Amino acid sequence: MNLAQKYGSFSKEILAEELSERVKGLLLIRELSPSALDKLLKELKAFGWVSGDITTQNGSFDIKSFKLTESGKTAYDLYNSNNREFLHLLIRKMHEEYTIPGWFVNRLWQINPKGRGQVIIPAPVKAWNPSGRLWENKEWDIELEEQTLESKRIINKLATGSFEVEDSNWIDEVKNAWLSQGETVRKKYQGLKDVTHYSPRRRLALAMRAAAVHILFNTSIPSTKKSEFNTIKSPLEPRSFSAWCPRLDELELIFYTDFNPKIPGRIIFPIASFKDKVAISGKYEEINEIQNLEGKHICLHKPEWVKLKPLFLEVLYIESQVLYRRTKALYVSVQDLRDEVCRQLRISSASFNEFLHLATIESLEKESNLRISLETDIREDQRNSYQQRRRPVIVNNNLISLIAITKAG
């Protein structure tokens, strides 16, 4: 939208050039893929924010010029004048086009209302690191079954209600997904003669994710088996699930993490909830246009700094000390700290960035009893590709990786 304002119109080639570099986690991505560009343009068209005569060749956009519509100009002006209202507009547009945003938040609350909507997508335990297996060895065996049940057992012990599924159902779903993965991967890699083995851990992780998504986010509510859609097709497939989690996080509707040291899997919890008008307090931002089947409106949890500050600083310090005792290092991972603070306070990653910035300013001005030091250096244990793709903490436009917190005096 900035490009359209800058040039008056833009082409796909200009878009590819201008958006060539971006940050994903702690990594610099040199360029957007052609498919990502196509999806971006398709979405802007669906929102009614850009126009242009579009033809397609093999599903790709082929056009010389796009430009902002009047709705696009209004959205652009709103972004520059009121960032929160623009976020609400974007959520509404996403919900109108896909239904997923509001439905996903509501489903989380339906699955685990007593746990404030927290859901866990299981993964193999970290200690399980089996040797590679031959491509031909795709059979399901007792070791895989034991690992599948072990992850579920740990989750049920540490986070009751976050994954309430019967053992037999869980095993059947994972087994089916495992066998399906075996066939798909074999086809994908046929012709590459040097590929003779696969990672059982990765394949089981993918199978567990596919099974959990199918169980929890199917057309029917897991606890009641009551269908919410007039179709048998699942509203959310495993591949689209992986794409929607970061989107919904950016929209401040959910928070998720794959990096809890005790939980084997992805922890997801809603930042938003559906409320009656009479129950909406000042710490929530209401979006009237999105309602659930009970007529309640979706509301984003957005507490004010002055009201949340005492609790935020308390939790921030306590959890930093937990990490300090575990790692024996003064500077700890700010991403690990962020994940736990957001989980306890049910705030978004964007709110955490904002509040940490304000807390750091107060620390520098000695208006707080905490002394906060932030670092951008990346430690050795943060350098593997999986860690570097982790959602970053951004404070004052800087990517922060480490933090040290002590008490004054």
Side-chain angles (χ1 to χ4, degrees):
M1 295 169 74
N2 273 322
L3 292 176
Q5 285 293 101
K6 179 180 178 180
Y7 296 114
S9 62
F10 64 94
S11 66
K12 184 179 175 181
E13 289 72 25
I14 290 176
L15 193 63
E17 181 179 346
E18 294 281 350
L19 299 182
S20 59
E21 292 190 352
R22 64 191 177 98
V23 172
K24 183 176 182 180
L26 299 177
L27 294 174
L28 180 65
I29 306 300
R30 292 297 180 185
E31 60 183 14
L32 287 177
S33 67
S35 61
L37 286 170
D38 286 346
K39 289 176 182 177
L40 174 59
L41 290 169
K42 182 179 179 181
E43 206 158 69
L44 290 172
K45 280 285 294 181
F47 294 169
W49 290 353
V50 300
S51 63
D53 296 325
I54 296 177
T55 59
T56 60
Q57 293 181 353
N58 299 322
S60 295
F61 287 97
D62 181 17
I63 187 171
K64 293 184 177 180
S65 180
F66 290 94
K67 63 180 180 179
L68 286 183
T69 63
E70 289 303 315
S71 295
K73 292 175 183 177
T74 299
Y76 177 79
D77 291 340
L78 186 61
Y79 174 79
N80 288 295
S81 63
N82 191 324
N83 197 262
R84 296 305 301 178
E85 285 300 321
F86 175 78
L87 178 68
H88 296 181
L89 172 63
L90 187 56
I91 292 172
R92 291 197 299 270
K93 289 292 185 180
M94 286 281 191
H95 184 77
E96 288 171 8
E97 184 66 21
Y98 304 109
T99 310
I100 295 294
W103 171 81
F104 191 90
V105 170
N106 197 56
R107 176 58 65 88
L108 291 177
W109 284 101
Q110 290 172 328
I111 293 171
N112 189 13
K114 293 181 180 179
R116 296 192 293 171
Q118 178 175 284
V119 167
I120 296 174
I121 305 297
V125 297
K126 293 180 180 179
W128 186 60
N129 289 296
S131 301
R133 295 187 183 184
L134 289 170
W135 283 115
E136 292 74 18
N137 181 11
K138 64 178 183 179
E139 299 305 316
W140 178 262
D141 57 35
I142 189 63
E143 181 184 13
L144 297 171
E145 182 170 320
E146 289 174 349
Q147 290 301 322
T148 300
L149 288 175
E150 177 65 5
S151 295
K152 179 177 176 292
R153 184 192 67 78
I154 294 173
I155 289 170
N156 288 340
K157 179 181 178 181
L158 299 178
T160 304
S162 297
F163 190 68
E164 294 291 342
V165 178
E166 291 184 4
D167 285 357
S168 59
N169 186 23
W170 176 229
I171 290 297
D172 287 344
E173 290 284 354
V174 177
K175 179 181 178 180
N176 290 337
W178 168 274
L179 296 175
S180 177
Q181 284 284 339
E183 292 302 320
T184 302
V185 172
R186 184 191 298 272
K187 291 178 182 178
K188 181 178 179 181
Y189 284 96
Q190 74 179 33
L192 297 182
K193 296 180 181 179
D194 56 333
V195 179
T196 58
H197 292 72
Y198 68 90
S199 165
R201 178 181 178 82
R202 174 169 171 74
R203 185 173 293 185
L204 184 59
L206 292 172
M208 291 170 75
R209 174 172 293 188
V213 170
H214 183 258
I215 293 171
L216 300 178
F217 300 103
N218 211 323
T219 56
S220 302
I221 305 169
S223 59
T224 65
K225 304 300 180 183
K226 180 180 179 181
S227 179
E228 294 183 301
F229 297 89
N230 295 322
T231 176
I232 59 173
K233 183 180 179 182
S234 176
L236 197 64
E237 299 294 339
R239 181 174 294 183
S240 56
F241 165 83
S242 297
W244 272 107
C245 280
R247 275 188 162 200
L248 297 175
D249 182 281
E250 288 292 334
L251 293 173
E252 300 187 37
L253 294 171
I254 70 166
F255 186 95
Y256 74 96
T257 179
D258 299 311
F259 295 91
N260 187 282
K262 297 180 179 179
I263 298 294
R266 173 169 292 185
I267 301 175
I268 307 171
F269 52 83
I271 302 301
S273 57
F274 285 86
K275 295 182 175 293
D276 293 314
K277 279 189 174 291
V278 293
I280 299 172
S281 66
K283 63 181 180 178
Y284 290 97
E285 296 176 347
E286 181 185 12
I287 302 178
N288 286 319
E289 294 83 352
I290 302 178
Q291 301 180 29
N292 64 8
L293 295 178
E294 297 174 353
K296 297 180 179 181
H297 302 136
I298 198 168
C299 300
L300 310 186
H301 185 222
K302 187 65 176 178
E304 297 177 7
W305 167 243
V306 292
K307 295 181 179 178
L308 189 67
K309 180 171 71 171
L311 183 57
F312 179 84
L313 295 178
E314 178 185 1
V315 174
L316 187 75
Y317 177 73
I318 290 173
E319 292 307 319
S320 72
Q321 294 306 295
V322 171
L323 291 171
Y324 167 71
R325 289 191 293 270
R326 192 170 79 223
T327 62
K328 308 300 180 183
L330 177 61
Y331 280 87
V332 299
S333 166
V334 70
Q335 293 162 308
D336 288 346
L337 181 59
R338 182 266 318 276
D339 290 0
E340 189 57 25
V341 171
C342 287
R343 189 189 69 83
Q344 291 193 33
L345 301 181
R346 289 303 197 264
I347 59 174
S348 66
S349 53
S351 289
F352 178 87
N353 292 350
E354 175 189 344
F355 294 159
L356 181 59
H357 176 55
L358 295 171
T360 303
I361 291 174
E362 293 194 4
S363 172
L364 291 172
E365 296 177 350
K366 294 183 169 51
E367 295 178 0
S368 165
N369 69 332
L370 297 184
R371 295 295 173 258
I372 301 174
S373 179
L374 305 176
E375 291 290 342
T376 58
D377 293 339
I378 301 176
R379 275 196 322 230
E380 191 61 36
D381 61 341
Q382 297 174 309
R383 291 186 182 278
N384 69 67
S385 61
Y386 190 48
Q387 281 279 353
Q388 289 194 1
R389 291 183 181 276
R390 193 175 180 184
R391 185 173 57 256
V393 172
I394 301 174
V395 176
N396 198 25
N397 293 322
N398 293 315
L399 297 180
I400 306 302
S401 56
L402 298 170
I403 184 171
I405 304 177
T406 57
K407 282 194 173 180

CSV table of all heavy atoms in Angstrom, one decimal, residues 5-55:
chain,number,residue,atom,x,y,z
A,5,GLN,N,1.0,4.2,-2.9
A,5,GLN,CA,1.0,5.7,-2.7
A,5,GLN,C,2.2,6.3,-3.2
A,5,GLN,O,2.2,7.5,-3.7
A,5,GLN,CB,0.9,5.9,-1.1
A,5,GLN,CG,-0.4,5.6,-0.5
A,5,GLN,CD,-1.5,6.6,-1.0
A,5,GLN,OE1,-2.3,6.3,-1.9
A,5,GLN,NE2,-1.4,7.8,-0.5
A,6,LYS,N,3.4,5.6,-3.2
A,6,LYS,CA,4.6,6.2,-3.6
A,6,LYS,C,4.7,6.3,-5.1
A,6,LYS,O,5.1,7.4,-5.7
A,6,LYS,CB,5.8,5.3,-3.2
A,6,LYS,CG,7.2,5.7,-3.6
A,6,LYS,CD,8.2,4.8,-3.1
A,6,LYS,CE,9.6,5.2,-3.5
A,6,LYS,NZ,10.7,4.2,-3.0
A,7,TYR,N,4.2,5.3,-5.9
A,7,TYR,CA,4.3,5.3,-7.3
A,7,TYR,C,3.0,5.6,-8.0
A,7,TYR,O,3.0,5.8,-9.3
A,7,TYR,CB,4.9,3.9,-7.8
A,7,TYR,CG,6.2,3.6,-7.3
A,7,TYR,CD1,6.5,2.5,-6.5
A,7,TYR,CD2,7.3,4.3,-7.8
A,7,TYR,CE1,7.7,2.2,-6.0
A,7,TYR,CE2,8.6,4.0,-7.3
A,7,TYR,CZ,8.8,2.9,-6.5
A,7,TYR,OH,10.1,2.6,-6.0
A,8,GLY,N,1.9,5.6,-7.3
A,8,GLY,CA,0.6,5.8,-8.0
A,8,GLY,C,0.1,4.4,-8.4
A,8,GLY,O,-1.1,4.2,-8.3
A,9,SER,N,0.9,3.5,-8.9
A,9,SER,CA,0.5,2.2,-9.2
A,9,SER,C,1.8,1.3,-9.1
A,9,SER,O,2.9,1.9,-8.9
A,9,SER,CB,0.0,2.1,-10.6
A,9,SER,OG,0.9,2.4,-11.5
A,10,PHE,N,1.6,0.0,-9.1
A,10,PHE,CA,2.8,-0.9,-8.9
A,10,PHE,C,2.6,-2.2,-9.7
A,10,PHE,O,1.4,-2.6,-9.9
A,10,PHE,CB,3.1,-1.1,-7.5
A,10,PHE,CG,2.0,-1.9,-6.7
A,10,PHE,CD1,2.1,-3.3,-6.7
A,10,PHE,CD2,1.0,-1.3,-6.2
A,10,PHE,CE1,1.1,-4.0,-6.0
A,10,PHE,CE2,0.0,-1.9,-5.5
A,10,PHE,CZ,0.1,-3.3,-5.4
A,11,SER,N,3.6,-2.8,-10.1
A,11,SER,CA,3.6,-4.0,-10.8
A,11,SER,C,4.0,-5.1,-9.9
A,11,SER,O,4.6,-4.9,-8.8
A,11,SER,CB,4.4,-4.0,-12.0
A,11,SER,OG,5.8,-3.9,-11.7
A,12,LYS,N,3.8,-6.4,-10.3
A,12,LYS,CA,4.3,-7.5,-9.5
A,12,LYS,C,5.8,-7.5,-9.4
A,12,LYS,O,6.4,-7.8,-8.4
A,12,LYS,CB,3.9,-8.8,-10.1
A,12,LYS,CG,4.2,-10.0,-9.3
A,12,LYS,CD,3.7,-11.3,-10.0
A,12,LYS,CE,4.2,-12.6,-9.3
A,12,LYS,NZ,3.7,-13.8,-10.0
A,13,GLU,N,6.5,-7.0,-10.5
A,13,GLU,CA,8.0,-6.9,-10.5
A,13,GLU,C,8.4,-5.9,-9.5
A,13,GLU,O,9.4,-6.1,-8.7
A,13,GLU,CB,8.5,-6.6,-11.9
A,13,GLU,CG,8.3,-7.7,-12.9
A,13,GLU,CD,6.9,-7.9,-13.3
A,13,GLU,OE1,6.1,-6.9,-13.2
A,13,GLU,OE2,6.5,-9.0,-13.8
A,14,ILE,N,7.8,-4.7,-9.4
A,14,ILE,CA,8.1,-3.7,-8.4
A,14,ILE,C,7.9,-4.2,-7.0
A,14,ILE,O,8.7,-4.0,-6.1
A,14,ILE,CB,7.3,-2.4,-8.7
A,14,ILE,CG1,7.8,-1.7,-9.9
A,14,ILE,CG2,7.5,-1.5,-7.5
A,14,ILE,CD1,6.9,-0.5,-10.3
A,15,LEU,N,6.8,-4.9,-6.8
A,15,LEU,CA,6.5,-5.5,-5.5
A,15,LEU,C,7.6,-6.5,-5.1
A,15,LEU,O,8.1,-6.4,-3.9
A,15,LEU,CB,5.2,-6.2,-5.6
A,15,LEU,CG,4.5,-6.6,-4.2
A,15,LEU,CD1,4.2,-5.4,-3.4
A,15,LEU,CD2,3.2,-7.4,-4.4
A,16,ALA,N,8.0,-7.3,-6.0
A,16,ALA,CA,9.1,-8.3,-5.7
A,16,ALA,C,10.4,-7.6,-5.3
A,16,ALA,O,11.1,-8.0,-4.4
A,16,ALA,CB,9.3,-9.2,-6.9
A,17,GLU,N,10.7,-6.5,-6.0
A,17,GLU,CA,11.9,-5.8,-5.8
A,17,GLU,C,11.9,-5.0,-4.5
A,17,GLU,O,12.8,-5.1,-3.7
A,17,GLU,CB,12.2,-4.8,-6.9
A,17,GLU,CG,13.5,-4.1,-6.8
A,17,GLU,CD,13.8,-3.1,-8.0
A,17,GLU,OE1,13.1,-3.3,-9.0
A,17,GLU,OE2,14.6,-2.3,-7.8
A,18,GLU,N,10.8,-4.3,-4.2
A,18,GLU,CA,10.7,-3.5,-3.0
A,18,GLU,C,10.5,-4.3,-1.7
A,18,GLU,O,10.9,-3.9,-0.7
A,18,GLU,CB,9.5,-2.5,-3.2
A,18,GLU,CG,9.7,-1.5,-4.3
A,18,GLU,CD,10.6,-0.4,-3.9
A,18,GLU,OE1,11.0,-0.3,-2.7
A,18,GLU,OE2,11.0,0.4,-4.8
A,19,LEU,N,9.9,-5.5,-1.8
A,19,LEU,CA,9.7,-6.3,-0.7
A,19,LEU,C,10.8,-7.4,-0.6
A,19,LEU,O,10.5,-8.5,0.0
A,19,LEU,CB,8.3,-6.9,-0.7
A,19,LEU,CG,7.2,-5.9,-0.6
A,19,LEU,CD1,5.8,-6.7,-0.6
A,19,LEU,CD2,7.2,-5.0,0.6
A,20,SER,N,11.9,-7.2,-1.2
A,20,SER,CA,12.9,-8.3,-1.4
A,20,SER,C,13.5,-8.7,-0.1
A,20,SER,O,13.8,-9.9,0.1
A,20,SER,CB,14.0,-7.9,-2.4
A,20,SER,OG,14.6,-6.7,-1.9
A,21,GLU,N,13.7,-7.8,0.9
A,21,GLU,CA,14.3,-8.2,2.1
A,21,GLU,C,13.3,-8.0,3.3
A,21,GLU,O,12.7,-6.9,3.4
A,21,GLU,CB,15.6,-7.4,2.4
A,21,GLU,CG,16.7,-7.7,1.4
A,21,GLU,CD,18.0,-7.1,1.8
A,21,GLU,OE1,18.0,-6.2,2.7
A,21,GLU,OE2,19.0,-7.4,1.2
A,22,ARG,N,13.3,-8.9,4.2
A,22,ARG,CA,12.4,-8.8,5.3
A,22,ARG,C,13.0,-9.7,6.4
A,22,ARG,O,13.8,-10.6,6.2
A,22,ARG,CB,11.0,-9.2,5.1
A,22,ARG,CG,10.8,-10.7,4.7
A,22,ARG,CD,9.4,-11.0,4.1
A,22,ARG,NE,9.3,-12.3,3.7
A,22,ARG,CZ,8.8,-13.3,4.4
A,22,ARG,NH1,8.3,-13.1,5.6
A,22,ARG,NH2,8.7,-14.6,3.9
A,23,VAL,N,12.6,-9.5,7.6
A,23,VAL,CA,13.1,-10.3,8.8
A,23,VAL,C,12.1,-11.3,9.2
A,23,VAL,O,10.9,-11.0,9.3
A,23,VAL,CB,13.4,-9.4,10.0
A,23,VAL,CG1,13.8,-10.2,11.2
A,23,VAL,CG2,14.6,-8.5,9.6
A,24,LYS,N,12.5,-12.6,9.3
A,24,LYS,CA,11.7,-13.6,9.8
A,24,LYS,C,12.4,-14.2,11.0
A,24,LYS,O,13.4,-14.9,10.8
A,24,LYS,CB,11.4,-14.7,8.7
A,24,LYS,CG,10.5,-15.8,9.2
A,24,LYS,CD,10.1,-16.8,8.1
A,24,LYS,CE,9.2,-17.8,8.6
A,24,LYS,NZ,8.9,-18.8,7.5
A,25,GLY,N,11.9,-14.0,12.2
A,25,GLY,CA,12.6,-14.4,13.4
A,25,GLY,C,13.8,-13.6,13.5
A,25,GLY,O,13.8,-12.3,13.5
A,26,LEU,N,15.0,-14.2,13.6
A,26,LEU,CA,16.3,-13.5,13.6
A,26,LEU,C,17.0,-13.7,12.3
A,26,LEU,O,18.2,-13.4,12.3
A,26,LEU,CB,17.1,-14.1,14.8
A,26,LEU,CG,16.5,-14.0,16.2
A,26,LEU,CD1,17.4,-14.7,17.2
A,26,LEU,CD2,16.3,-12.5,16.6
A,27,LEU,N,16.3,-14.1,11.3
A,27,LEU,CA,17.0,-14.3,10.0
A,27,LEU,C,16.5,-13.2,9.0
A,27,LEU,O,15.4,-12.7,9.0
A,27,LEU,CB,16.6,-15.7,9.4
A,27,LEU,CG,17.2,-16.9,10.2
A,27,LEU,CD1,16.6,-18.2,9.5
A,27,LEU,CD2,18.7,-16.9,10.1
A,28,LEU,N,17.4,-12.9,8.1
A,28,LEU,CA,17.1,-11.9,7.0
A,28,LEU,C,16.7,-12.8,5.8
A,28,LEU,O,17.4,-13.6,5.2
A,28,LEU,CB,18.3,-11.0,6.6
A,28,LEU,CG,18.0,-10.0,5.5
A,28,LEU,CD1,17.0,-9.0,5.9
A,28,LEU,CD2,19.3,-9.4,5.1
A,29,ILE,N,15.4,-12.6,5.3
A,29,ILE,CA,14.9,-13.3,4.1
A,29,ILE,C,15.2,-12.4,2.9
A,29,ILE,O,14.7,-11.2,2.9
A,29,ILE,CB,13.4,-13.6,4.3
A,29,ILE,CG1,13.1,-14.4,5.5
A,29,ILE,CG2,12.9,-14.4,3.0
A,29,ILE,CD1,13.9,-15.7,5.7
A,30,ARG,N,15.9,-12.9,2.0
A,30,ARG,CA,16.4,-12.0,0.8
A,30,ARG,C,15.2,-11.7,-0.1
A,30,ARG,O,15.2,-10.6,-0.7
A,30,ARG,CB,17.5,-12.7,0.1
A,30,ARG,CG,18.8,-12.9,0.9
A,30,ARG,CD,19.4,-11.5,1.2
A,30,ARG,NE,20.6,-11.6,2.0
A,30,ARG,CZ,21.2,-10.6,2.4
A,30,ARG,NH1,20.8,-9.3,2.2
A,30,ARG,NH2,22.3,-10.7,3.1
A,31,GLU,N,14.3,-12.6,-0.3
A,31,GLU,CA,13.2,-12.3,-1.3
A,31,GLU,C,12.0,-13.1,-1.0
A,31,GLU,O,12.1,-14.2,-0.4
A,31,GLU,CB,13.7,-12.5,-2.7
A,31,GLU,CG,14.1,-13.9,-3.0
A,31,GLU,CD,14.6,-14.1,-4.4
A,31,GLU,OE1,14.9,-13.1,-5.1
A,31,GLU,OE2,14.7,-15.3,-4.8
A,32,LEU,N,10.8,-12.5,-1.4
A,32,LEU,CA,9.6,-13.3,-1.3
A,32,LEU,C,9.5,-14.3,-2.5
A,32,LEU,O,9.9,-14.0,-3.6
A,32,LEU,CB,8.4,-12.3,-1.3
A,32,LEU,CG,8.1,-11.4,-0.1
A,32,LEU,CD1,7.0,-10.5,-0.4
A,32,LEU,CD2,7.8,-12.3,1.1
A,33,SER,N,8.9,-15.4,-2.2
A,33,SER,CA,8.7,-16.4,-3.3
A,33,SER,C,7.6,-15.9,-4.2
A,33,SER,O,6.7,-15.1,-3.8
A,33,SER,CB,8.4,-17.7,-2.7
A,33,SER,OG,7.1,-17.7,-2.1
A,34,PRO,N,7.6,-16.4,-5.5
A,34,PRO,CA,6.5,-16.0,-6.4
A,34,PRO,C,5.2,-16.4,-5.8
A,34,PRO,O,4.2,-15.6,-6.0
A,34,PRO,CB,6.9,-16.8,-7.6
A,34,PRO,CG,8.4,-17.0,-7.6
A,34,PRO,CD,8.7,-17.2,-6.1
A,35,SER,N,5.0,-17.5,-5.2
A,35,SER,CA,3.7,-17.9,-4.6
A,35,SER,C,3.3,-17.0,-3.5
A,35,SER,O,2.1,-16.6,-3.4
A,35,SER,CB,3.8,-19.3,-4.1
A,35,SER,OG,4.7,-19.5,-3.1
A,36,ALA,N,4.2,-16.5,-2.7
A,36,ALA,CA,3.9,-15.6,-1.6
A,36,ALA,C,3.4,-14.2,-2.2
A,36,ALA,O,2.5,-13.6,-1.7
A,36,ALA,CB,5.1,-15.3,-0.7
A,37,LEU,N,4.1,-13.8,-3.3
A,37,LEU,CA,3.6,-12.5,-3.9
A,37,LEU,C,2.2,-12.7,-4.5
A,37,LEU,O,1.4,-11.8,-4.4
A,37,LEU,CB,4.6,-12.2,-5.0
A,37,LEU,CG,5.9,-11.6,-4.6
A,37,LEU,CD1,6.9,-11.5,-5.8
A,37,LEU,CD2,5.8,-10.2,-4.0
A,38,ASP,N,1.9,-13.8,-5.1
A,38,ASP,CA,0.6,-14.1,-5.7
A,38,ASP,C,-0.4,-14.1,-4.6
A,38,ASP,O,-1.5,-13.5,-4.8
A,38,ASP,CB,0.6,-15.4,-6.4
A,38,ASP,CG,1.3,-15.4,-7.8
A,38,ASP,OD1,1.6,-14.2,-8.2
A,38,ASP,OD2,1.6,-16.4,-8.3
A,39,LYS,N,-0.1,-14.7,-3.5
A,39,LYS,CA,-1.1,-14.8,-2.4
A,39,LYS,C,-1.4,-13.4,-1.8
A,39,LYS,O,-2.5,-13.1,-1.4
A,39,LYS,CB,-0.6,-15.7,-1.3
A,39,LYS,CG,-0.6,-17.2,-1.7
A,39,LYS,CD,0.0,-18.1,-0.6
A,39,LYS,CE,0.0,-19.6,-1.1
A,39,LYS,NZ,0.6,-20.4,-0.1
A,40,LEU,N,-0.3,-12.6,-1.7
A,40,LEU,CA,-0.5,-11.2,-1.2
A,40,LEU,C,-1.4,-10.4,-2.1
A,40,LEU,O,-2.3,-9.7,-1.6
A,40,LEU,CB,0.9,-10.6,-1.1
A,40,LEU,CG,0.9,-9.1,-0.7
A,40,LEU,CD1,0.2,-8.9,0.6
A,40,LEU,CD2,2.3,-8.6,-0.7
A,41,LEU,N,-1.1,-10.5,-3.4
A,41,LEU,CA,-1.9,-9.7,-4.4
A,41,LEU,C,-3.4,-10.2,-4.4
A,41,LEU,O,-4.3,-9.4,-4.5
A,41,LEU,CB,-1.3,-9.8,-5.8
A,41,LEU,CG,0.0,-9.1,-6.0
A,41,LEU,CD1,0.6,-9.5,-7.3
A,41,LEU,CD2,-0.2,-7.6,-5.9
A,42,LYS,N,-3.6,-11.5,-4.3
A,42,LYS,CA,-4.9,-12.1,-4.3
A,42,LYS,C,-5.7,-11.6,-3.1
A,42,LYS,O,-6.9,-11.3,-3.1
A,42,LYS,CB,-4.8,-13.6,-4.3
A,42,LYS,CG,-6.2,-14.3,-4.3
A,42,LYS,CD,-6.0,-15.9,-4.4
A,42,LYS,CE,-7.3,-16.6,-4.4
A,42,LYS,NZ,-7.2,-18.1,-4.4
A,43,GLU,N,-5.0,-11.6,-1.9
A,43,GLU,CA,-5.6,-11.1,-0.7
A,43,GLU,C,-6.0,-9.7,-0.8
A,43,GLU,O,-7.1,-9.3,-0.4
A,43,GLU,CB,-4.7,-11.4,0.5
A,43,GLU,CG,-5.4,-11.6,1.8
A,43,GLU,CD,-4.6,-12.3,2.8
A,43,GLU,OE1,-3.5,-11.8,3.2
A,43,GLU,OE2,-4.9,-13.5,3.1
A,44,LEU,N,-5.1,-8.8,-1.3
A,44,LEU,CA,-5.4,-7.4,-1.4
A,44,LEU,C,-6.6,-7.2,-2.4
A,44,LEU,O,-7.5,-6.3,-2.1
A,44,LEU,CB,-4.2,-6.6,-1.9
A,44,LEU,CG,-3.0,-6.5,-0.9
A,44,LEU,CD1,-1.8,-5.9,-1.6
A,44,LEU,CD2,-3.4,-5.7,0.3
A,45,LYS,N,-6.7,-8.0,-3.4
A,45,LYS,CA,-7.8,-7.9,-4.3
A,45,LYS,C,-9.1,-8.4,-3.6
A,45,LYS,O,-10.2,-7.7,-3.7
A,45,LYS,CB,-7.6,-8.8,-5.5
A,45,LYS,CG,-6.7,-8.3,-6.6
A,45,LYS,CD,-7.5,-7.2,-7.4
A,45,LYS,CE,-8.6,-7.8,-8.2
A,45,LYS,NZ,-9.3,-6.8,-9.1
A,46,ALA,N,-9.0,-9.4,-2.8
A,46,ALA,CA,-10.2,-9.9,-2.1
A,46,ALA,C,-10.7,-8.9,-1.1
A,46,ALA,O,-11.9,-8.8,-0.9
A,46,ALA,CB,-9.9,-11.2,-1.4
A,47,PHE,N,-9.8,-8.2,-0.5
A,47,PHE,CA,-10.2,-7.1,0.5
A,47,PHE,C,-10.8,-5.9,-0.2
A,47,PHE,O,-11.4,-5.0,0.5
A,47,PHE,CB,-9.0,-6.7,1.3
A,47,PHE,CG,-8.5,-7.8,2.3
A,47,PHE,CD1,-7.3,-7.6,2.9
A,47,PHE,CD2,-9.2,-8.9,2.5
A,47,PHE,CE1,-6.8,-8.5,3.8
A,47,PHE,CE2,-8.7,-9.9,3.3
A,47,PHE,CZ,-7.5,-9.7,4.0
A,48,GLY,N,-10.6,-5.8,-1.5
A,48,GLY,CA,-11.1,-4.7,-2.3
A,48,GLY,C,-10.1,-3.5,-2.1
A,48,GLY,O,-10.6,-2.3,-2.3
A,49,TRP,N,-8.9,-3.7,-1.8
A,49,TRP,CA,-7.9,-2.6,-1.5
A,49,TRP,C,-7.1,-2.3,-2.8
A,49,TRP,O,-6.5,-1.2,-2.8
A,49,TRP,CB,-7.0,-3.0,-0.4
A,49,TRP,CG,-7.8,-2.9,1.0
A,49,TRP,CD1,-9.1,-2.5,1.2
A,49,TRP,CD2,-7.3,-3.3,2.2
A,49,TRP,NE1,-9.4,-2.7,2.5
A,49,TRP,CE2,-8.3,-3.2,3.2
A,49,TRP,CE3,-6.1,-3.8,2.7
A,49,TRP,CZ2,-8.2,-3.5,4.5
A,49,TRP,CZ3,-5.9,-4.1,4.0
A,49,TRP,CH2,-7.0,-3.9,4.9
A,50,VAL,N,-7.0,-3.2,-3.7
A,50,VAL,CA,-6.3,-2.9,-5.0
A,50,VAL,C,-7.1,-3.3,-6.1
A,50,VAL,O,-8.0,-4.2,-6.0
A,50,VAL,CB,-4.9,-3.6,-5.0
A,50,VAL,CG1,-4.0,-3.2,-3.9
A,50,VAL,CG2,-5.0,-5.1,-5.1
A,51,SER,N,-6.9,-2.7,-7.3
A,51,SER,CA,-7.6,-3.1,-8.5
A,51,SER,C,-6.6,-3.2,-9.6
A,51,SER,O,-5.5,-2.7,-9.6
A,51,SER,CB,-8.7,-2.0,-8.8
A,51,SER,OG,-8.0,-0.8,-9.1
A,52,GLY,N,-7.1,-3.9,-10.7
A,52,GLY,CA,-6.3,-4.0,-11.9
A,52,GLY,C,-6.9,-5.2,-12.7
A,52,GLY,O,-7.6,-6.0,-12.2
A,53,ASP,N,-6.7,-5.1,-14.0
A,53,ASP,CA,-7.2,-6.2,-14.9
A,53,ASP,C,-6.2,-7.4,-14.7
A,53,ASP,O,-5.1,-7.3,-15.2
A,53,ASP,CB,-7.2,-5.7,-16.3
A,53,ASP,CG,-8.2,-4.6,-16.5
A,53,ASP,OD1,-9.2,-4.6,-15.8
A,53,ASP,OD2,-7.9,-3.7,-17.3
A,54,ILE,N,-6.8,-8.4,-14.2
A,54,ILE,CA,-5.9,-9.6,-13.8
A,54,ILE,C,-6.2,-10.8,-14.8
A,54,ILE,O,-7.4,-11.1,-15.0
A,54,ILE,CB,-6.1,-10.0,-12.4
A,54,ILE,CG1,-5.7,-8.9,-11.4
A,54,ILE,CG2,-5.4,-11.3,-12.1
A,54,ILE,CD1,-5.9,-9.2,-10.0
A,55,THR,N,-5.2,-11.3,-15.3
A,55,THR,CA,-5.3,-12.6,-16.0
A,55,THR,C,-4.4,-13.6,-15.3
A,55,THR,O,-3.5,-13.1,-14.5
A,55,THR,CB,-4.9,-12.5,-17.5
A,55,THR,OG1,-3.6,-12.0,-17.5
A,55,THR,CG2,-5.8,-11.6,-18.2
